[in-house]
Amino acid sequence: MTDEMNQYPYQYEDGGDNGGNNTLKGYRIVIIILICVIGILAVQYYRQVNMLRGSEELLTIERDTLQSRLSALIMNMDSIKTENDTISQNLMVERNRADSLMDALTKHKRLSYAEINKYKKQVATLTKITQGYVRQIDSLDRINKQLSRENISYRKKLTAAQLRAEAAEEKSQELSHKVQQGSIIRAREITLNAMTNKDKEVDKAKRATRLRISFILNANAMASVGERNVYVRVTGPDDVVLAESPNALFEFNGEKITYTAMRSDVDYQGEDLPVALFYSGSFTAGRYIVEIYMDGHLIGSNEHILR
C-alpha cells in the first residue's frame, strides 16, 4: 500500500484538489444565486416602497385637489345672491355641509382611496346641487325681468290710457261747459226807466215813484223751455241794493243775496221774450246799476243815469 502510494503520489493529490475545487465552485454558485435573489428582493422592495410613496403622494394630491375644488365651491356659494327666501335657506344648508366637508378633509391628513372616492362623490353632489340653485335663480331672474318689462309696458299703456281718459274727460267737461254756457239764456237791451204811479215816464229821478226794468231774453235753441224765476238787482248811487224788504233774498253761487224785484211767471219757449219788472220807492239822481239773474246765472247787466 505504501509502495503504491509512493508510486502514484500525484494521482492522489490531483484527486484531492479536484474535490476541493468542485466544492469551492459550488459555494460560489450558491453565493451568486443568493446575491441574485437578494438583488431581486431588493429591487422588488424598492419598487414596492416607490409604489407606496407614489400612492401616498397621489392620495395627497387628490386630497389637495378636493380641497381646492371645495374651496372654489364655497366661494361660489358665497357669491350667489337671491331674494328668494326658500333658495337662500337651502343654500345656507348646503353651505354648512360644505364647511363640514372641508373640516373633515383638513383634519384627515392620510386618506384611503375609498375615503377619497367618498369625498369626491360628496363634493360632486354639492356642486350639482349648487348649479341647480344657480339655474333656478337665473330662471327666476329672467322671469322677474320679463315681468318687470311687462309691468313697465302695462304701466305705460295704463298711463297712456289714463292720459287719454283724462283728455277725454277734460274735453267732455269742456264740451259740457260749452253746452252749459251755450244753454244759458242771455238778456239784452236792458233799460231802466223812471215812472210815475200812472205809468208815465219822467226824466227826473225825484219825480219818479217807481222804476221799470225792461229787457229781452234771447232766443236759444239749446235752452230748456218752461217757466222761470227772474231776479233783478238794482244798485243805487249810494251803492246800496234797492229792496222792498230784508227778506228779499235769492241764492247765487251758494250765497243769499238781495234782489230788487222778481217774477216767477216768466214762460220761456226758446224764442225772444220781452220781460218787464217794477220797483216802487223814492229815488235820487245818479248812476244805477242793473243786473239780471235767472237759472242761477248772471245773464246781463247795464248802467243807467237818472237825472
Side-chain angles (χ1 to χ4, degrees):
M1 178 69 74
T2 305
D3 292 337
E4 288 179 359
M5 291 180 61
N6 291 330
Q7 265 185 335
Y8 306 102
Y10 297 103
Q11 185 178 356
Y12 288 104
E13 290 179 2
D14 292 340
D17 290 340
N18 289 335
N21 289 336
N22 289 336
T23 302
L24 181 59
K25 289 180 180 178
Y27 288 149
R28 288 176 179 175
I29 293 170
V30 171
I31 291 171
I32 291 170
I33 292 171
L34 289 174
I35 291 172
C36 292
V37 170
I38 292 171
I40 292 170
L41 291 175
V43 170
Q44 290 180 349
Y45 175 78
Y46 178 77
R47 287 180 178 176
Q48 288 181 355
V49 169
N50 285 340
M51 288 178 62
L52 289 173
R53 288 178 180 175
S55 177
E56 290 179 359
E57 290 178 358
L58 183 61
L59 289 174
T60 301
I61 292 172
E62 291 281 357
R63 187 196 65 187
D64 293 343
T65 302
L66 274 177
Q67 286 181 318
S68 298
R69 288 176 56 190
L70 188 57
S71 179
L73 178 61
I74 291 173
M75 291 179 63
N76 187 27
M77 286 180 171
D78 292 339
S79 66
I80 297 173
K81 305 297 181 183
T82 179
E83 295 181 359
N84 187 289
D85 293 337
T86 301
I87 295 178
S88 180
Q89 291 175 359
N90 291 338
L91 273 173
M92 183 59 67
V93 172
E94 301 304 325
R95 178 66 167 77
N96 292 333
R97 287 179 58 191
D99 287 338
S100 298
L101 191 57
M102 179 62 80
D103 291 340
L105 284 171
T106 303
K107 289 177 181 178
H108 294 83
K109 299 299 182 180
R110 293 184 179 180
L111 297 173
S112 65
Y113 279 108
E115 290 173 330
I116 287 292
N117 290 331
K118 181 185 71 172
Y119 286 131
K120 279 184 178 180
K121 290 180 180 179
Q122 291 180 1
V123 172
T125 300
L126 282 174
T127 302
K128 186 176 181 180
I129 291 173
T130 303
Q131 291 173 347
Y133 286 134
V134 170
R135 287 193 294 270
Q136 289 184 38
I137 293 170
D138 290 342
S139 177
L140 289 174
D141 286 343
R142 287 194 297 270
I143 293 172
N144 288 335
K145 288 178 180 178
Q146 179 64 26
L147 291 175
S148 179
R149 287 193 295 268
E150 292 177 358
N151 188 31
I152 291 172
S153 175
Y154 172 75
R155 282 186 295 179
K156 286 182 178 178
K157 291 179 180 179
L158 181 61
T159 301
Q162 288 176 339
L163 290 175
R164 289 195 296 269
E166 290 174 0
E169 178 66 20
E170 185 177 347
K171 289 182 179 179
S172 176
Q173 291 178 356
E174 182 180 353
L175 180 60
S176 176
H177 179 71
K178 288 181 179 179
V179 171
Q180 185 179 11
Q181 292 296 315
S183 65
I184 295 174
I185 302 167
R186 302 295 177 180
R188 73 178 192 272
E189 299 179 20
I190 301 170
T191 60
L192 179 69
N193 301 105
M195 310 290 293
T196 64
N197 287 334
K198 296 181 179 181
D199 290 335
K200 181 181 178 180
E201 187 174 337
V202 295
D203 58 357
K204 300 281 186 184
K206 64 181 180 180
R207 295 175 58 189
T209 58
R210 63 178 183 165
L211 300 176
R212 183 179 67 190
I213 304 96
S214 303
F215 54 90
I216 297 175
L217 296 177
N218 290 339
N220 189 338
M222 297 179 64
S224 60
V225 298
E227 291 188 352
R228 284 171 164 76
N229 295 333
V230 178
Y231 299 90
V232 173
R233 183 176 163 94
V234 179
T235 303
D238 56 359
D239 294 330
V240 176
V241 177
L242 305 180
E244 293 181 350
S245 71
N247 294 326
L249 302 172
F250 73 103
E251 188 171 337
F252 177 71
N253 288 341
E255 296 182 3
K256 295 289 186 179
I257 61 175
T258 303
Y259 66 82
T260 301
M262 70 88 64
R263 279 185 61 176
S264 60
D265 58 350
V266 177
D267 188 10
Y268 181 78
Q269 295 300 318
E271 304 294 336
D272 283 356
L273 179 64
V275 180
L277 290 86
F278 296 89
Y279 172 77
S280 299
S282 59
F283 310 98
T284 60
R287 185 187 68 167
Y288 287 78
I289 300 174
V290 180
E291 297 173 336
I292 312 300
Y293 294 85
M294 188 174 70
D295 296 337
H297 301 286
L298 174 62
I299 63 174
S301 64
N302 203 352
E303 291 185 6
H304 294 274
I305 303 298
L306 296 181
R307 299 182 181 281

